[in-house]
DNA sequence: CTAAATGATACCATGTTAGTATCATTTTGT
DNA sequence: ACAAAATGATACTAACATGGTATCATTTAG
């Protein structure tokens, strides 16, 4: 049972590293050295972060990535969502169809409660906070 | 992002159904009819539950399955653990090796806290409670 | 002895995760 | 103009996990 996959994890680490450089443009080679993440994979992850507007990218010599928002406004649940889709702890299906029990299922109710909690907890963690740690 | 997979879900539903039969032995055909779960898959799930001691099985004509514990003592986190391994929200690895940051990583600390909460919440739900719902 | 059940096990199909490879495009410095 | 250094886009592959099947062996009630 896991919740956070590799690309999300890498993304968070990269964002933290970039954030610490406050305003400087950071290129992939530097990130690879610092974080020991496989280069092509890291590139893919960064492209994802760029598309979703977490970072801004600059091409050409001297190019690289910069945060597009203040670190305190980058919520890790959104980063996770970018790579893993929305949080949905229990997708109960009955042979590809949505489960007919859904309305009454008591387990679902409790899991939904858990999901809300998890989501609000994860929703309160920002890159900015991680840096302080 | 999901946390509960199909076999766990099926297991829980089967346990609930068996629990409601209080002491009677329930065979696969009856479960298949009631729960609309593919038969061979359900068999595999039940065999898992038997091995882990959640249910007792009886072979031969008139055989089937019975709860091996009181419904109030079957915790769904244990059921989930049977099929999905222990709860481990974030397994941060660096190229197959455990991450060297682990000791200081602030994100890990927060996720660990979340994990404890989740685990204690899930750990408080039993089959017995689900039946009341 | 047979029918009806589970036990054990091997297998298969699909989807997800993790990672690679390639080529196109942009930008800067000379 | 041009080469080098960066990202963009995209397609591909390998390994693993999930969901599900199939088969045969074993037990047991009648
Ligand atoms: S059994 Fe389907 S939602 Fe709970
Ligand atoms: S970066 Fe590895 S445990 Fe957080």
């Amino acid at each position: 049972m896991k919740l956070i996959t590799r690309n999300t994890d890498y993304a968070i680490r990269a964002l933290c590293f970039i954030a610490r450089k406050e305003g400087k443009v950071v290129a992939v080679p530097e990130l690879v050295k610092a974080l020991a993440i496989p280069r092509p994979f890291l590139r893919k992850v960064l492209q994802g972060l760029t598309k979703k507007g977490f970072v801004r990218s600059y091409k050409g010599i001297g190019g690289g990535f910069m945060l597009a928002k203040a670190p305190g406004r980058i919520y890790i649940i959104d980063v996770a969502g970018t790579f893993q889709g929305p949080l949905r702890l229990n997708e109960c299906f009955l042979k590809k169809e949505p489960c007919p029990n859904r309305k009454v299922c008591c387990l679902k109710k409790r899991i939904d409660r858990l999901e809300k909690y998890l989501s609000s907890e994860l929703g309160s963690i920002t890159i900015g906070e991680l840096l302080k740690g």
Side-chain angles (χ1 to χ4, degrees), chain A:
Chain A
M1 283 190 266
K2 70 182 164 182
L3 196 63
I4 291 189
T5 54
R6 209 73 76 88
N7 40 17
T8 300
D9 190 278
Y10 288 168
I12 291 170
R13 287 196 243 167
L15 286 169
C16 285
F17 188 90
I18 295 170
R20 264 192 276 265
K21 295 286 174 176
E22 308 205 8
K24 265 179 224 148
V25 170
V26 184
V28 165
E30 185 178 353
L31 286 165
V32 166
K33 244 190 212 166
L35 306 175
I37 295 171
R39 185 191 160 111
F41 196 12
L42 178 58
R43 293 219 319 127
K44 194 161 66 171
V45 166
L46 285 166
Q47 285 183 7
L49 290 175
T50 307
K51 271 191 195 157
K52 292 283 181 166
F54 294 104
V55 298
R56 246 194 301 276
S57 71
Y58 302 91
K59 290 184 181 181
I61 297 181
F65 302 86
M66 245 183 63
L67 290 197
K69 321 178 184 185
R73 305 207 168 194
I74 300 179
Y75 296 93
I76 69 157
I77 195 173
D78 297 327
V79 177
T82 297
F83 298 101
Q84 302 173 235
L87 192 64
R88 201 143 291 156
L89 292 192
N90 178 27
E91 308 184 13
C92 171
F93 287 97
L94 211 50
K95 300 209 169 210
K96 313 277 178 192
E97 312 273 319
C99 171
N101 286 11
R102 265 175 320 171
K103 288 275 166 27
V104 290
C105 176
C106 152
L107 176 58
K108 178 165 168 41
K109 275 179 203 137
R110 305 206 45 169
I111 301 239
D112 281 351
R113 255 213 329 264
L114 268 182
E115 186 177 303
K116 277 214 185 71
Y117 176 83
L118 242 186
S119 140
S120 84
E121 273 297 304
L122 283 181
S124 78
I125 307 178
T126 67
I127 297 294
E129 285 180 69
L130 292 185
L131 295 179
K132 290 182 213 148

